[in-house]
Amino acid sequence: MGQKIQSVKGMNDLLPTEQKDFKLTSAYWQAFENKIQNWTRRFDYKQIRTPIVEQTSLFVRSIGEETDVVGKEMYTFADSNDTLSLTLRPEGTASCLRAVVEHNLLHEAPRKLWYMGAMFRRERPQKGRYRQFHQVGIEALGFADPDIDAEMVAMCADLWRELGILQYLTLEINSLGNREERAAHRAALVAYLTEFEDKLDDDSKRRLHTNPLRVLDTKNPDLQEICNNAPRLIDYLGEDSKKHYQTFKDLLTGLEIQFVENPRLVRGLDYYNHTVFEWTTDKLGAQATVCGGGRYDGLIEELGGKAAPSIGFAMGIERLLLLVHEHGSLQVADFPDVFIMQQGDGATLQAMKYAKILRENGFDVAQFSGSTKLKNQFKRADQSGAQFALIIAESELANQEVTLKDLRGERGQITIPAHELISKLNEWKA
């Protein structure tokens, strides 16, 4: 017997049953996917699907060469002819915008798009953080006014309510201003942090000269006082940026969406400007952020397209579903409506005919395969989770009848003419 080959650490199989260290099942995942499709349809967002592999230069240009994602976390490899560097996508926005620019999707009107799929980052796996993870992303392209910023947040709140987790999430918001305002703040921040360079940890020292805003996002408790007293970006905002941010806040207040202003919220990618936001929780340990996003008004132009104001967000599916699994509610329809069992000559073929008719009439059907006593088949029917059992034995075949049993309710067991099967099941299921 050959040696077993295991999956790569931090990349999980999605099975029909719960695993010891990964509680999400394929049925749970599918129920969430169905909810996302309905949710995005309600807000008039259209789906886009992009390749998992992109040119490395796409992420270097969009995310930023000095970010941790590009510098340490991407899965990058040479194409077979060694002339092209390829990367497994670490996030979805860059791929989405690459497709928008390549296919000129903004030539007539703004676009509201969504996507769902696998992302890859070379990180230390832990609860809620994996090397292959999945995201739902929402992108609104070509919209300049702050009402679309508020719509993004309202979309999230709508989904959280449906999933029963709104009370476990906190909305944090901030404004990063425009490029010139961020540059002025960056200069002041670097000057301030340089005074404390001997007290910074190695990670913060590296970021001081590459991405100083990320120093403010440190989790090191020894640096909290330094970061709390650092120059605030909001103090460098001009009138237009302040107006955009204030209108955004007023809209949230009018929609009765509670929020916390966090002047240290910067997000981890270079392309953000103006509005940024995160939904965080204290129910998942260190992995507090369930969803985050913001404006990236200059990114489409950076990728070769005509300048267009844009905003988007992404949620980690694994992290979100862990929160829903433990604290929320998601209805999972993973059981057949009818379990068909048979016994006797000719019963198998007749059972298959009934199964075909039932499926054509909208019922989910499981059929027993093989031959064994009805007693054992009843055990399988009960284990299947089916609501009803359809029994076909010698007497039913002889009399052109069927026997129905309510496995979960109080209707008991009845024998009826075969032609009444669909109407009786519809009556019972109603």
Side-chain angles (χ1 to χ4, degrees), residues 108-392:
E108 290 182 348
R111 293 274 184 172
K112 292 182 175 182
L113 303 173
W114 73 276
Y115 55 83
M116 178 163 47
M119 313 292 164
F120 301 85
R121 295 188 189 182
R122 193 174 60 244
E123 298 186 291
R124 182 172 63 86
Q126 51 188 293
K127 181 180 180 181
R129 184 182 290 272
Y130 308 104
R131 289 177 173 175
Q132 176 178 313
F133 59 100
H134 299 75
Q135 287 185 340
V136 173
I138 304 291
E139 315 289 355
L141 313 176
F143 299 90
D145 293 331
D147 56 345
I148 201 71
D149 306 24
E151 178 182 279
M152 289 268 161
V153 172
M155 281 186 73
C156 294
D158 180 79
L159 182 61
W160 308 154
R161 276 190 291 267
E162 279 198 37
L163 295 172
I165 57 172
L166 182 59
Q167 65 268 38
Y168 303 110
L169 290 164
T170 298
L171 172 63
E172 300 182 13
I173 66 171
N174 192 22
S175 175
L176 302 184
N178 62 32
R179 183 175 300 178
E180 293 74 21
E181 292 156 359
R182 290 200 312 279
H185 171 255
R186 176 191 172 109
L189 181 61
V190 170
Y192 169 80
L193 291 175
T194 300
E195 298 178 11
F196 301 94
E197 190 165 4
D198 59 330
K199 297 182 179 180
L200 300 181
D201 56 29
D202 292 340
D203 210 30
S204 296
K205 287 179 181 178
R206 176 178 60 82
R207 288 172 169 170
L208 173 59
H209 301 290
T210 58
N211 195 356
L213 273 177
R214 295 291 288 155
V215 176
L216 302 181
D217 203 29
T218 181
K219 301 300 187 290
N220 186 339
D222 296 332
L223 301 181
Q224 296 306 307
E225 184 176 355
I226 293 174
C227 292
N228 287 338
N229 294 325
R232 302 188 313 162
L233 200 158
I234 198 167
D235 295 329
Y236 289 78
L237 299 185
E239 289 305 314
D240 288 345
S241 295
K242 288 180 180 178
K243 182 179 179 181
H244 186 106
Y245 186 45
Q246 185 60 52
T247 302
F248 169 60
K249 291 189 293 182
D250 290 343
L251 289 170
L252 294 185
T253 300
L255 293 170
E256 299 183 347
I257 298 175
Q258 297 182 350
F259 59 86
V260 175
E261 292 189 73
N262 180 0
R264 288 169 53 182
L265 176 60
V266 297
R267 305 289 295 146
L269 309 179
D270 277 359
Y271 53 62
Y272 286 111
N273 67 295
H274 289 297
T275 303
V276 289
F277 63 89
E278 289 185 354
W279 291 90
T280 62
T281 182
D282 59 2
K283 300 298 182 181
L284 295 177
Q287 307 310 315
T289 302
V290 170
C291 172
R295 279 201 165 269
Y296 46 85
D297 291 338
L299 185 53
I300 290 179
E301 187 176 22
E302 183 70 25
L303 296 179
K306 185 178 179 180
S310 305
I311 186 172
F313 66 85
M315 63 186 75
I317 297 179
E318 286 91 344
R319 200 174 293 181
L320 176 61
L321 288 187
L322 284 173
L323 183 62
V324 176
H325 188 271
E326 295 176 11
H327 301 283
S329 60
L330 179 61
Q331 186 174 358
V332 179
D334 192 32
F335 306 115
D337 298 311
V338 182
F339 188 98
I340 302 180
M341 57 188 75
Q342 73 275 336
Q343 189 174 67
D345 293 339
T348 297
L349 176 58
Q350 190 59 55
M352 296 181 74
K353 289 181 177 180
Y354 286 139
K356 179 176 181 293
I357 293 171
L358 287 170
R359 291 176 182 128
E360 289 173 347
N361 281 271
F363 291 93
D364 298 331
V365 180
Q367 182 180 352
F368 183 82
S369 178
S371 58
T372 187
K373 295 179 179 179
L374 285 177
K375 180 180 179 181
N376 294 331
Q377 294 186 47
F378 267 113
K379 290 181 180 178
R380 290 285 298 276
D382 189 60
Q383 292 169 355
S384 75
Q387 189 172 0
F388 310 113
L390 173 60
I391 306 158
I392 303 152

Side-chain angles (χ1 to χ4, degrees), residues 33-99:
E33 290 175 338
N34 292 338
K35 186 169 288 292
I36 290 297
Q37 290 173 0
N38 293 330
W39 171 64
T40 52
R41 190 180 302 116
R42 288 202 305 271
F43 284 86
D44 194 34
Y45 282 72
K46 311 300 183 185
Q47 188 176 29
I48 185 171
R49 302 190 184 193
T50 60
I52 289 176
V53 177
E54 298 274 6
Q55 294 189 46
T56 303
S57 58
L58 171 66
F59 302 114
V60 173
R61 194 188 304 181
S62 61
I63 298 175
E65 191 168 6
E66 302 299 336
T67 61
D68 288 348
V69 174
V70 172
K72 300 189 297 183
E73 298 173 0
M74 295 200 313
Y75 284 97
T76 297
F77 53 94
D79 199 5
S80 57
N81 58 13
D82 291 334
T83 61
L84 190 63
S85 178
L86 302 177
T87 294
L88 295 175
R89 63 186 182 195
E91 59 97 41
T93 297
S95 295
C96 177
L97 297 197
R98 188 269 310 151

